[in-house]
Amino acid sequence: MPATKTPVQKLDLKKEYKHLYLPSAKQVSLVDVPEFQFTMIDGQIEPGVPPAQSKGFVDAMTAMYGVAYTLKFMSKLDPDSPLDFTVMAIEGLWSTESGGFGFEADQPWLFSLLMMQPDHITDTMFEAAVAQAAQRRPNPGFERIRMERWCEGPSIQVMHIGPYADEPATVARLDAYAEEHGLAKHGRHHEIYLGDPRRAKPESLRTVLRHPVRTV
């Protein structure tokens, strides 16, 4: 008799962590973000250059998606324990060389792109996925990608709908919430892109704006 094929299991971390990845646009919320595993790439953008027009940023995003989908198919085709998981959203941590954050900064923007990966993804799988993705579509971003665990902890967040240029008004809502509740922002400005920022129409963009906080 032919061997019984192992059924493919499903995993959707977007649904499992819906409170972190699909917050309300109407009100700011306080969340406690646990430790997750991420693929990451660091880079920088010169002042006045939109991210979508920065080759380094676009290369980084392309590498992130390339590795993520390679890992997805590697996991799904595992003969012993096949698991098909949903590819997570690209996330961005932003700051300037002075360590601050401001939309009108005249310094280079420092960014770290992140994408959550399921816990069953191992270092060996990650390294194989990078090699395969880089061979299919070479770009310098693959040389900078890594995988590590990171815990953001207590944070405030809200959904921003519309162009990135309109984000300051939404960030002001985060600031007002922090002040009202005796919280101080620290760390880096965090954006989660629910869609591909390289292709989506500005009016259709949905971006989770998040910032870690501590009690004053």
Side-chain angles (χ1 to χ4, degrees), residues 29-60:
S29 57
L30 175 65
V31 295
D32 191 3
V33 187
E35 181 179 283
F36 293 119
Q37 177 169 253
F38 295 91
T39 46
M40 301 182 177
I41 296 181
D42 300 322
Q44 75 173 45
I45 300 174
E46 294 307 308
V49 178
Q53 296 178 21
S54 165
K55 185 178 184 303
F57 184 82
V58 172
D59 283 347

PDB file of all heavy atoms in Angstrom, residues 29-60:
ATOM      1  N   SER A  29      -4.666  52.148  21.708  1.00  0.00           N
ATOM      2  CA  SER A  29      -4.724  51.065  22.683  1.00  0.00           C
ATOM      3  C   SER A  29      -3.343  50.803  23.261  1.00  0.00           C
ATOM      4  O   SER A  29      -2.315  51.064  22.619  1.00  0.00           O
ATOM      5  CB  SER A  29      -5.275  49.785  22.048  1.00  0.00           C
ATOM      6  OG  SER A  29      -4.493  49.390  20.934  1.00  0.00           O
ATOM      7  N   LEU A  30      -3.342  50.295  24.482  1.00  0.00           N
ATOM      8  CA  LEU A  30      -2.105  49.897  25.160  1.00  0.00           C
ATOM      9  C   LEU A  30      -2.005  48.380  25.076  1.00  0.00           C
ATOM     10  O   LEU A  30      -2.934  47.667  25.455  1.00  0.00           O
ATOM     11  CB  LEU A  30      -2.131  50.352  26.622  1.00  0.00           C
ATOM     12  CG  LEU A  30      -0.958  49.914  27.508  1.00  0.00           C
ATOM     13  CD1 LEU A  30       0.349  50.538  27.034  1.00  0.00           C
ATOM     14  CD2 LEU A  30      -1.233  50.295  28.971  1.00  0.00           C
ATOM     15  N   VAL A  31      -0.891  47.880  24.564  1.00  0.00           N
ATOM     16  CA  VAL A  31      -0.700  46.441  24.387  1.00  0.00           C
ATOM     17  C   VAL A  31       0.640  46.035  24.985  1.00  0.00           C
ATOM     18  O   VAL A  31       1.530  46.864  25.177  1.00  0.00           O
ATOM     19  CB  VAL A  31      -0.755  46.038  22.897  1.00  0.00           C
ATOM     20  CG1 VAL A  31      -2.143  46.287  22.322  1.00  0.00           C
ATOM     21  CG2 VAL A  31       0.299  46.790  22.079  1.00  0.00           C
ATOM     22  N   ASP A  32       0.785  44.765  25.273  1.00  0.00           N
ATOM     23  CA  ASP A  32       2.058  44.220  25.739  1.00  0.00           C
ATOM     24  C   ASP A  32       2.533  43.235  24.681  1.00  0.00           C
ATOM     25  O   ASP A  32       1.964  42.155  24.520  1.00  0.00           O
ATOM     26  CB  ASP A  32       1.886  43.524  27.088  1.00  0.00           C
ATOM     27  CG  ASP A  32       3.221  43.187  27.741  1.00  0.00           C
ATOM     28  OD1 ASP A  32       4.272  43.552  27.174  1.00  0.00           O
ATOM     29  OD2 ASP A  32       3.216  42.544  28.809  1.00  0.00           O
ATOM     30  N   VAL A  33       3.550  43.618  23.929  1.00  0.00           N
ATOM     31  CA  VAL A  33       4.016  42.820  22.793  1.00  0.00           C
ATOM     32  C   VAL A  33       5.061  41.814  23.283  1.00  0.00           C
ATOM     33  O   VAL A  33       6.125  42.210  23.754  1.00  0.00           O
ATOM     34  CB  VAL A  33       4.617  43.718  21.696  1.00  0.00           C
ATOM     35  CG1 VAL A  33       4.935  42.888  20.456  1.00  0.00           C
ATOM     36  CG2 VAL A  33       3.662  44.858  21.343  1.00  0.00           C
ATOM     37  N   PRO A  34       4.773  40.511  23.186  1.00  0.00           N
ATOM     38  CA  PRO A  34       5.718  39.512  23.682  1.00  0.00           C
ATOM     39  C   PRO A  34       6.900  39.320  22.733  1.00  0.00           C
ATOM     40  O   PRO A  34       6.984  39.950  21.671  1.00  0.00           O
ATOM     41  CB  PRO A  34       4.868  38.241  23.751  1.00  0.00           C
ATOM     42  CG  PRO A  34       3.839  38.432  22.684  1.00  0.00           C
ATOM     43  CD  PRO A  34       3.543  39.908  22.657  1.00  0.00           C
ATOM     44  N   GLU A  35       7.794  38.444  23.110  1.00  0.00           N
ATOM     45  CA  GLU A  35       8.951  38.138  22.273  1.00  0.00           C
ATOM     46  C   GLU A  35       8.519  37.286  21.083  1.00  0.00           C
ATOM     47  O   GLU A  35       7.794  36.307  21.234  1.00  0.00           O
ATOM     48  CB  GLU A  35      10.004  37.389  23.086  1.00  0.00           C
ATOM     49  CG  GLU A  35      11.252  37.041  22.290  1.00  0.00           C
ATOM     50  CD  GLU A  35      12.300  36.316  23.128  1.00  0.00           C
ATOM     51  OE1 GLU A  35      12.984  36.996  23.914  1.00  0.00           O
ATOM     52  OE2 GLU A  35      12.396  35.085  23.016  1.00  0.00           O
ATOM     53  N   PHE A  36       8.984  37.673  19.895  1.00  0.00           N
ATOM     54  CA  PHE A  36       8.732  36.913  18.674  1.00  0.00           C
ATOM     55  C   PHE A  36      10.055  36.717  17.932  1.00  0.00           C
ATOM     56  O   PHE A  36      11.059  37.371  18.219  1.00  0.00           O
ATOM     57  CB  PHE A  36       7.764  37.663  17.748  1.00  0.00           C
ATOM     58  CG  PHE A  36       6.367  37.811  18.275  1.00  0.00           C
ATOM     59  CD1 PHE A  36       5.828  39.075  18.504  1.00  0.00           C
ATOM     60  CD2 PHE A  36       5.583  36.700  18.533  1.00  0.00           C
ATOM     61  CE1 PHE A  36       4.535  39.226  18.976  1.00  0.00           C
ATOM     62  CE2 PHE A  36       4.286  36.846  19.019  1.00  0.00           C
ATOM     63  CZ  PHE A  36       3.755  38.106  19.234  1.00  0.00           C
ATOM     64  N   GLN A  37      10.009  35.842  16.954  1.00  0.00           N
ATOM     65  CA  GLN A  37      11.148  35.627  16.063  1.00  0.00           C
ATOM     66  C   GLN A  37      10.926  36.426  14.780  1.00  0.00           C
ATOM     67  O   GLN A  37       9.834  36.400  14.214  1.00  0.00           O
ATOM     68  CB  GLN A  37      11.261  34.135  15.747  1.00  0.00           C
ATOM     69  CG  GLN A  37      12.355  33.772  14.773  1.00  0.00           C
ATOM     70  CD  GLN A  37      12.580  32.272  14.712  1.00  0.00           C
ATOM     71  OE1 GLN A  37      13.573  31.767  15.214  1.00  0.00           O
ATOM     72  NE2 GLN A  37      11.661  31.545  14.086  1.00  0.00           N
ATOM     73  N   PHE A  38      11.969  37.133  14.333  1.00  0.00           N
ATOM     74  CA  PHE A  38      11.863  37.984  13.149  1.00  0.00           C
ATOM     75  C   PHE A  38      13.050  37.784  12.211  1.00  0.00           C
ATOM     76  O   PHE A  38      14.175  37.543  12.666  1.00  0.00           O
ATOM     77  CB  PHE A  38      11.865  39.474  13.538  1.00  0.00           C
ATOM     78  CG  PHE A  38      10.695  39.923  14.348  1.00  0.00           C
ATOM     79  CD1 PHE A  38      10.727  39.890  15.736  1.00  0.00           C
ATOM     80  CD2 PHE A  38       9.550  40.414  13.732  1.00  0.00           C
ATOM     81  CE1 PHE A  38       9.657  40.324  16.494  1.00  0.00           C
ATOM     82  CE2 PHE A  38       8.473  40.859  14.478  1.00  0.00           C
ATOM     83  CZ  PHE A  38       8.525  40.813  15.865  1.00  0.00           C
ATOM     84  N   THR A  39      12.795  37.939  10.915  1.00  0.00           N
ATOM     85  CA  THR A  39      13.875  38.245   9.994  1.00  0.00           C
ATOM     86  C   THR A  39      14.034  39.757  10.021  1.00  0.00           C
ATOM     87  O   THR A  39      13.051  40.493  10.175  1.00  0.00           O
ATOM     88  CB  THR A  39      13.555  37.767   8.566  1.00  0.00           C
ATOM     89  OG1 THR A  39      12.220  38.151   8.206  1.00  0.00           O
ATOM     90  CG2 THR A  39      13.692  36.257   8.457  1.00  0.00           C
ATOM     91  N   MET A  40      15.284  40.248   9.865  1.00  0.00           N
ATOM     92  CA  MET A  40      15.567  41.677  10.002  1.00  0.00           C
ATOM     93  C   MET A  40      16.624  42.132   8.994  1.00  0.00           C
ATOM     94  O   MET A  40      17.521  41.364   8.642  1.00  0.00           O
ATOM     95  CB  MET A  40      16.085  42.003  11.403  1.00  0.00           C
ATOM     96  CG  MET A  40      15.164  41.656  12.544  1.00  0.00           C
ATOM     97  SD  MET A  40      15.897  42.170  14.142  1.00  0.00           S
ATOM     98  CE  MET A  40      14.581  41.746  15.275  1.00  0.00           C
ATOM     99  N   ILE A  41      16.504  43.379   8.581  1.00  0.00           N
ATOM    100  CA  ILE A  41      17.519  44.034   7.753  1.00  0.00           C
ATOM    101  C   ILE A  41      17.635  45.486   8.211  1.00  0.00           C
ATOM    102  O   ILE A  41      16.625  46.174   8.379  1.00  0.00           O
ATOM    103  CB  ILE A  41      17.152  44.031   6.252  1.00  0.00           C
ATOM    104  CG1 ILE A  41      17.103  42.607   5.695  1.00  0.00           C
ATOM    105  CG2 ILE A  41      18.169  44.852   5.448  1.00  0.00           C
ATOM    106  CD1 ILE A  41      16.759  42.548   4.213  1.00  0.00           C
ATOM    107  N   ASP A  42      18.862  45.961   8.390  1.00  0.00           N
ATOM    108  CA  ASP A  42      19.113  47.360   8.753  1.00  0.00           C
ATOM    109  C   ASP A  42      19.570  48.138   7.521  1.00  0.00           C
ATOM    110  O   ASP A  42      20.183  47.585   6.598  1.00  0.00           O
ATOM    111  CB  ASP A  42      20.206  47.459   9.821  1.00  0.00           C
ATOM    112  CG  ASP A  42      19.830  46.722  11.098  1.00  0.00           C
ATOM    113  OD1 ASP A  42      18.648  46.760  11.475  1.00  0.00           O
ATOM    114  OD2 ASP A  42      20.721  46.105  11.707  1.00  0.00           O
ATOM    115  N   GLY A  43      19.288  49.441   7.522  1.00  0.00           N
ATOM    116  CA  GLY A  43      19.749  50.285   6.431  1.00  0.00           C
ATOM    117  C   GLY A  43      19.505  51.740   6.757  1.00  0.00           C
ATOM    118  O   GLY A  43      19.113  52.092   7.871  1.00  0.00           O
ATOM    119  N   GLN A  44      19.747  52.607   5.777  1.00  0.00           N
ATOM    120  CA  GLN A  44      19.484  54.026   5.972  1.00  0.00           C
ATOM    121  C   GLN A  44      19.062  54.675   4.667  1.00  0.00           C
ATOM    122  O   GLN A  44      19.337  54.170   3.579  1.00  0.00           O
ATOM    123  CB  GLN A  44      20.698  54.747   6.559  1.00  0.00           C
ATOM    124  CG  GLN A  44      21.843  55.006   5.606  1.00  0.00           C
ATOM    125  CD  GLN A  44      22.917  55.876   6.262  1.00  0.00           C
ATOM    126  OE1 GLN A  44      23.308  55.656   7.402  1.00  0.00           O
ATOM    127  NE2 GLN A  44      23.389  56.857   5.532  1.00  0.00           N
ATOM    128  N   ILE A  45      18.348  55.807   4.809  1.00  0.00           N
ATOM    129  CA  ILE A  45      17.847  56.570   3.676  1.00  0.00           C
ATOM    130  C   ILE A  45      18.284  58.011   3.858  1.00  0.00           C
ATOM    131  O   ILE A  45      18.158  58.575   4.948  1.00  0.00           O
ATOM    132  CB  ILE A  45      16.307  56.493   3.600  1.00  0.00           C
ATOM    133  CG1 ILE A  45      15.857  55.041   3.427  1.00  0.00           C
ATOM    134  CG2 ILE A  45      15.779  57.349   2.452  1.00  0.00           C
ATOM    135  CD1 ILE A  45      14.357  54.862   3.495  1.00  0.00           C
ATOM    136  N   GLU A  46      18.774  58.617   2.814  1.00  0.00           N
ATOM    137  CA  GLU A  46      19.234  59.999   2.893  1.00  0.00           C
ATOM    138  C   GLU A  46      18.056  60.960   3.053  1.00  0.00           C
ATOM    139  O   GLU A  46      16.942  60.674   2.603  1.00  0.00           O
ATOM    140  CB  GLU A  46      20.048  60.366   1.644  1.00  0.00           C
ATOM    141  CG  GLU A  46      21.357  59.607   1.541  1.00  0.00           C
ATOM    142  CD  GLU A  46      22.207  59.730   2.804  1.00  0.00           C
ATOM    143  OE1 GLU A  46      22.447  60.867   3.255  1.00  0.00           O
ATOM    144  OE2 GLU A  46      22.609  58.691   3.353  1.00  0.00           O
ATOM    145  N   PRO A  47      18.274  62.119   3.702  1.00  0.00           N
ATOM    146  CA  PRO A  47      17.192  63.080   3.919  1.00  0.00           C
ATOM    147  C   PRO A  47      16.511  63.477   2.613  1.00  0.00           C
ATOM    148  O   PRO A  47      17.172  63.689   1.587  1.00  0.00           O
ATOM    149  CB  PRO A  47      17.910  64.281   4.546  1.00  0.00           C
ATOM    150  CG  PRO A  47      19.149  63.727   5.148  1.00  0.00           C
ATOM    151  CD  PRO A  47      19.563  62.587   4.257  1.00  0.00           C
ATOM    152  N   GLY A  48      15.188  63.555   2.660  1.00  0.00           N
ATOM    153  CA  GLY A  48      14.426  64.007   1.505  1.00  0.00           C
ATOM    154  C   GLY A  48      14.120  62.946   0.469  1.00  0.00           C
ATOM    155  O   GLY A  48      13.420  63.223  -0.510  1.00  0.00           O
ATOM    156  N   VAL A  49      14.631  61.725   0.667  1.00  0.00           N
ATOM    157  CA  VAL A  49      14.387  60.650  -0.291  1.00  0.00           C
ATOM    158  C   VAL A  49      13.242  59.772   0.215  1.00  0.00           C
ATOM    159  O   VAL A  49      13.361  59.168   1.284  1.00  0.00           O
ATOM    160  CB  VAL A  49      15.648  59.783  -0.499  1.00  0.00           C
ATOM    161  CG1 VAL A  49      15.355  58.642  -1.471  1.00  0.00           C
ATOM    162  CG2 VAL A  49      16.808  60.629  -0.995  1.00  0.00           C
ATOM    163  N   PRO A  50      12.120  59.687  -0.507  1.00  0.00           N
ATOM    164  CA  PRO A  50      11.024  58.809  -0.077  1.00  0.00           C
ATOM    165  C   PRO A  50      11.508  57.359  -0.046  1.00  0.00           C
ATOM    166  O   PRO A  50      12.267  56.941  -0.930  1.00  0.00           O
ATOM    167  CB  PRO A  50       9.959  59.015  -1.163  1.00  0.00           C
ATOM    168  CG  PRO A  50      10.300  60.329  -1.798  1.00  0.00           C
ATOM    169  CD  PRO A  50      11.791  60.431  -1.736  1.00  0.00           C
ATOM    170  N   PRO A  51      11.103  56.573   0.954  1.00  0.00           N
ATOM    171  CA  PRO A  51      11.549  55.184   1.035  1.00  0.00           C
ATOM    172  C   PRO A  51      11.346  54.390  -0.252  1.00  0.00           C
ATOM    173  O   PRO A  51      12.219  53.606  -0.653  1.00  0.00           O
ATOM    174  CB  PRO A  51      10.719  54.617   2.184  1.00  0.00           C
ATOM    175  CG  PRO A  51      10.483  55.801   3.068  1.00  0.00           C
ATOM    176  CD  PRO A  51      10.300  56.961   2.128  1.00  0.00           C
ATOM    177  N   ALA A  52      10.204  54.597  -0.913  1.00  0.00           N
ATOM    178  CA  ALA A  52       9.913  53.838  -2.130  1.00  0.00           C
ATOM    179  C   ALA A  52      10.872  54.171  -3.265  1.00  0.00           C
ATOM    180  O   ALA A  52      10.958  53.427  -4.244  1.00  0.00           O
ATOM    181  CB  ALA A  52       8.476  54.081  -2.569  1.00  0.00           C
ATOM    182  N   GLN A  53      11.620  55.304  -3.136  1.00  0.00           N
ATOM    183  CA  GLN A  53      12.587  55.691  -4.168  1.00  0.00           C
ATOM    184  C   GLN A  53      14.022  55.427  -3.739  1.00  0.00           C
ATOM    185  O   GLN A  53      14.964  55.774  -4.455  1.00  0.00           O
ATOM    186  CB  GLN A  53      12.405  57.170  -4.506  1.00  0.00           C
ATOM    187  CG  GLN A  53      11.043  57.496  -5.116  1.00  0.00           C
ATOM    188  CD  GLN A  53      10.868  58.983  -5.389  1.00  0.00           C
ATOM    189  OE1 GLN A  53      11.826  59.731  -5.496  1.00  0.00           O
ATOM    190  NE2 GLN A  53       9.613  59.416  -5.496  1.00  0.00           N
ATOM    191  N   SER A  54      14.194  54.810  -2.574  1.00  0.00           N
ATOM    192  CA  SER A  54      15.526  54.473  -2.078  1.00  0.00           C
ATOM    193  C   SER A  54      15.872  53.046  -2.496  1.00  0.00           C
ATOM    194  O   SER A  54      15.174  52.090  -2.114  1.00  0.00           O
ATOM    195  CB  SER A  54      15.573  54.581  -0.552  1.00  0.00           C
ATOM    196  OG  SER A  54      16.721  53.944  -0.034  1.00  0.00           O
ATOM    197  N   LYS A  55      16.939  52.873  -3.262  1.00  0.00           N
ATOM    198  CA  LYS A  55      17.314  51.534  -3.731  1.00  0.00           C
ATOM    199  C   LYS A  55      17.604  50.607  -2.562  1.00  0.00           C
ATOM    200  O   LYS A  55      17.216  49.433  -2.570  1.00  0.00           O
ATOM    201  CB  LYS A  55      18.524  51.601  -4.653  1.00  0.00           C
ATOM    202  CG  LYS A  55      18.895  50.254  -5.266  1.00  0.00           C
ATOM    203  CD  LYS A  55      20.064  50.369  -6.220  1.00  0.00           C
ATOM    204  CE  LYS A  55      20.349  49.031  -6.901  1.00  0.00           C
ATOM    205  NZ  LYS A  55      20.611  47.938  -5.937  1.00  0.00           N
ATOM    206  N   GLY A  56      18.277  51.141  -1.529  1.00  0.00           N
ATOM    207  CA  GLY A  56      18.602  50.293  -0.390  1.00  0.00           C
ATOM    208  C   GLY A  56      17.358  49.793   0.319  1.00  0.00           C
ATOM    209  O   GLY A  56      17.299  48.634   0.746  1.00  0.00           O
ATOM    210  N   PHE A  57      16.350  50.655   0.440  1.00  0.00           N
ATOM    211  CA  PHE A  57      15.093  50.276   1.098  1.00  0.00           C
ATOM    212  C   PHE A  57      14.336  49.261   0.246  1.00  0.00           C
ATOM    213  O   PHE A  57      13.842  48.248   0.758  1.00  0.00           O
ATOM    214  CB  PHE A  57      14.243  51.513   1.341  1.00  0.00           C
ATOM    215  CG  PHE A  57      12.966  51.241   2.098  1.00  0.00           C
ATOM    216  CD1 PHE A  57      12.975  51.141   3.477  1.00  0.00           C
ATOM    217  CD2 PHE A  57      11.756  51.096   1.427  1.00  0.00           C
ATOM    218  CE1 PHE A  57      11.799  50.891   4.190  1.00  0.00           C
ATOM    219  CE2 PHE A  57      10.581  50.844   2.126  1.00  0.00           C
ATOM    220  CZ  PHE A  57      10.606  50.744   3.508  1.00  0.00           C
ATOM    221  N   VAL A  58      14.247  49.509  -1.047  1.00  0.00           N
ATOM    222  CA  VAL A  58      13.525  48.596  -1.943  1.00  0.00           C
ATOM    223  C   VAL A  58      14.232  47.238  -1.989  1.00  0.00           C
ATOM    224  O   VAL A  58      13.579  46.188  -1.962  1.00  0.00           O
ATOM    225  CB  VAL A  58      13.399  49.203  -3.350  1.00  0.00           C
ATOM    226  CG1 VAL A  58      12.827  48.190  -4.331  1.00  0.00           C
ATOM    227  CG2 VAL A  58      12.510  50.450  -3.314  1.00  0.00           C
ATOM    228  N   ASP A  59      15.568  47.251  -2.059  1.00  0.00           N
ATOM    229  CA  ASP A  59      16.314  45.987  -2.033  1.00  0.00           C
ATOM    230  C   ASP A  59      16.043  45.216  -0.746  1.00  0.00           C
ATOM    231  O   ASP A  59      15.881  43.988  -0.760  1.00  0.00           O
ATOM    232  CB  ASP A  59      17.816  46.247  -2.146  1.00  0.00           C
ATOM    233  CG  ASP A  59      18.262  46.578  -3.564  1.00  0.00           C
ATOM    234  OD1 ASP A  59      17.465  46.369  -4.498  1.00  0.00           O
ATOM    235  OD2 ASP A  59      19.408  47.045  -3.727  1.00  0.00           O
ATOM    236  N   ALA A  60      15.972  45.933   0.376  1.00  0.00           N
ATOM    237  CA  ALA A  60      15.719  45.287   1.665  1.00  0.00           C
ATOM    238  C   ALA A  60      14.333  44.654   1.681  1.00  0.00           C
ATOM    239  O   ALA A  60      14.161  43.512   2.131  1.00  0.00           O
ATOM    240  CB  ALA A  60      15.864  46.299   2.793  1.00  0.00           C
TER     241      ALA A  60
END
